[in-house]
Amino acid sequence: MAFATIDVTKGITGVTPVANGGTALSSGFVNGGGLTVADQWRLTTTFTGNANPISVNLERVDTTGQGFIGSAMTESSGIFTFPSTGVYKIEFIVQCMLNGDTRFQKGQIQGTTNNSSYSSLTTSRAFIANLSNNTFGSCIATTYFDVTDTSNCKVKFIIETEDSNTSTLGSSSENETSFTFTRLGDT
């Protein structure tokens, strides 16, 4: 086995190469680089049936010990607006409950790039097989969204259930159904 040697007499430049041919200094990983937006919202109250979009009882996570980075997302009538341009990872976690069986509860993230026409970015489904009085299910929908214009690029979150008695769980003290936004980099 051969070992590499480092000639310490040459000095260390402090520049780390990265995969795209740049360096850590030129790629934004140091000196103020990294994540600039990490924000999380949640549903505060359980509701039953469908929602297009989920538009009430939403709050930015405020439980002691939970945090965020950078500027907040803004929300109005279930439409979320981004604080800055860039590529975002969006995660929608849905917790549901039913006293019975259902083939699906669907959680969907829809987006627009023209502040008008929304289309599905991703969909996740859960089914519930009744094992006791109340049986729980969950689904996670995740997507990447390129926000090129904060006035026109927006998202909303949809719940669709097969059984109208299915509840989507909410809480103001912990994340049951939640929405996470992480800015990964420039557009």
Side-chain angles (χ1 to χ4, degrees):
M1 173 181 277
F3 292 94
T5 59
I6 299 174
D7 184 353
V8 294
T9 63
K10 301 281 185 187
I12 299 173
T13 66
V15 177
T16 305
V18 293
N20 68 359
T23 65
L25 293 176
S26 67
S27 298
F29 292 124
V30 294
N31 299 331
L35 295 179
T36 58
V37 176
D39 201 12
Q40 193 168 59
W41 289 65
R42 66 179 162 217
L43 179 66
T44 61
T45 304
T46 297
F47 70 86
T48 301
N50 297 330
N52 183 1
I54 300 173
S55 60
V56 295
N57 302 315
L58 299 169
E59 73 173 4
R60 191 177 192 202
V61 170
D62 59 359
T63 304
T64 301
Q66 292 181 297
F68 54 87
I69 297 172
S71 299
M73 297 289 295
T74 55
E75 179 272 330
S76 177
S77 301
I79 306 300
F80 284 84
T81 301
F82 295 85
S84 59
T85 60
V87 176
Y88 285 78
K89 179 180 179 185
I90 305 168
E91 184 176 68
F92 179 25
I93 298 176
V94 180
Q95 301 292 335
C96 52
M97 177 184 68
L98 178 66
N99 183 6
D101 296 316
T102 185
R103 290 184 321 160
F104 73 88
Q105 165 136 350
K106 178 171 77 174
Q108 184 176 76
I109 303 171
Q110 291 188 357
T112 180
T113 57
N114 63 12
N115 197 25
S116 177
S117 302
Y118 283 82
S119 60
S120 175
L121 301 175
T122 186
T123 300
S124 183
R125 292 175 180 83
F127 73 93
I128 297 176
N130 191 16
L131 302 174
S132 64
N133 289 339
N134 288 316
T135 303
F136 300 87
S138 63
C139 59
I140 301 172
T142 303
T143 192
Y144 296 100
F145 189 53
D146 189 5
V147 178
T148 57
D149 179 339
T150 58
S151 296
N152 289 314
C153 297
K154 300 175 190 245
V155 294
K156 63 182 180 176
F157 300 89
I158 311 296
I159 293 291
E160 182 182 332
T161 64
E162 177 196 38
D163 186 317
S164 62
N165 294 310
T166 304
S167 296
T168 300
L169 303 180
S171 172
S172 61
S173 61
E174 65 179 350
N175 295 351
E176 296 254 23
T177 296
S178 62
F179 321 90
T180 303
F181 306 88
T182 307
R183 185 181 181 279
L184 301 175
D186 294 336
T187 181

